Structure formats: C-alpha cells, structure tokens
Amino acid sequence: RNQSLLVLDRARGALVAFDRAGRFLALRPFQGPATEEASARGARILLDSFGTLWLLATQARDLMPLTDQLTPVRATRYLTPEDQVGVPVAAAQFGAGVWIYDAAQGAIRRFTSSGRFQLSISPEDSAGAVAPSDLATDAAGNLYVADEKGQRLFVFDPSGALLITRALGGAKIPWRPAALAVGPGGVVAVADAERCEIQIFATDREAKP
C-alpha cells in the first residue's frame, strides 16, 4: 500500500521491508503456525488489492491470510480439503480470488475468495511440457506464467484462453525465469536468478500466441 518492497527471508522466517529507494525499513518475524511455513523452501508471499498479506504454505498446502503481526488471521483453512492443491509452487491474485500453480497436477487452478475451486488451466495442452516458476496478473485480470523449463512467458485471459507466448531464451542464450511481476501499464519484469538479470517487456496485445 505504501509502494514499499516486501521480501520473504526464509532463512530467518521473517518479512523484510524496504522503501522505494531500496533503504531498509524493518524486519518482522512470522508468528505462530506461520513461522515454520515461512521457513519452508517453497514458501511465497502474496499481497492482495486490499492490502492483506498471504503466505503460500507448501507444507499445509494452503494459503494463509496474515495479520499485521504476521500470524494467521483464522484457524480454519482457506482452501477446503476437497479443493486443496498437491504441490503449490506459485500464486497470484485474481480479483477477490487467487490463481495457484499445482505441480502435482501440472495445472494452474483458480479459486474464489472463499477458497472454492473455480477452473483449471493446463499449459501442457498448448505448449508441451512446462515448469511454471511464478505467476502474476495485470489490471485486466490476465494471467502471466513464467515457464522456467521452456524459457517462455505465457499470457492467458481471465477465462484461461492463451493470448500470448513469448520466448525468453534458448540453447545459445539460456534464460530461465524464476520470478516475474506486472507493473502499471502492463510492463512485465522477468528475473533469471542464475544470470542475476531482469528483462523488461511492454505487452503487445496484437501479437498472436
């Protein structure tokens, strides 16, 4: 909400905040059941449009809404047992709901604000084997998927239809996207952890998948 940068420090099980200029603001450890989950290798944080911070808990296979003290808001699950994911890898907000990539099913699944399953996208149907590493959405509700294995970026509309496929790297110049973000105006930032570089793109709505 203050346009600060929030970083999940898994080694400390804490959230670190920086201002827009990159200056350190604060470090706050997670509390209660969120402590162990925040230290897990696959843990991710998600900030929704209402300013609520969520923790993607890989061990509980759930999304945890957090208080300002970084404790779970409620004791009950967000994803109901029959709708829970097998291996949650990444998540992105969709309106009042959320997209979650489930590596166990090889599918990106959308859930409502109450945690109920809504629909599923299987990127393999149109692109062969993929390994999504991160998800993001833009103001129009389009879903951006970073494919680490195929070194590509996919864009789907809110209904799950493929809009754009963008190659990021190849055999000669590998580019394996580890994280991505969509900024104002649809500008897309894609990071490669091994290369320690970020590519910036402007979305071309006239491009074909």
Side-chain angles (χ1 to χ4, degrees), residues 99-123:
W99 290 99
I100 300 177
Y101 172 58
D102 184 358
Q105 298 188 26
I108 303 166
R109 306 174 66 194
R110 194 173 83 193
F111 298 87
T112 66
S113 58
S114 63
R116 290 287 181 181
F117 173 73
Q118 205 168 33
L119 66 87
S120 179
I121 299 174
S122 296

Side-chain angles (χ1 to χ4, degrees), residues 76-142:
T76 57
R77 296 181 59 87
Y78 173 73
L79 301 177
T80 54
E82 61 269 23
D83 292 333
Q84 71 181 10
V85 294
V87 181
V89 172
Q93 182 197 5
F94 176 77
V98 66
W99 290 99
I100 300 177
Y101 172 58
D102 184 358
Q105 298 188 26
I108 303 166
R109 306 174 66 194
R110 194 173 83 193
F111 298 87
T112 66
S113 58
S114 63
R116 290 287 181 181
F117 173 73
Q118 205 168 33
L119 66 87
S120 179
I121 299 174
S122 296
E124 288 87 347
D125 293 346
S126 56
V130 300
S133 55
D134 203 9
L135 309 176
T137 54
D138 62 17
N142 297 310

Side-chain angles (χ1 to χ4, degrees), residues 13 155 190:
V155 183
V190 187

Side-chain angles (χ1 to χ4, degrees), residues 1 6 15 45-55 63-68 70-74 78 93 96:
R1 286 170 291 187
L6 301 178
L15 189 71
I45 54 173
L46 176 68
L47 189 67
D48 67 22
S49 57
F50 300 101
T52 300
L53 188 71
W54 298 71
L55 177 65
L63 265 175
M64 293 182 176
L66 303 173
T67 66
D68 290 341
L70 301 186
T71 59
V73 170
R74 56 188 180 185
Y78 173 73
Q93 182 197 5

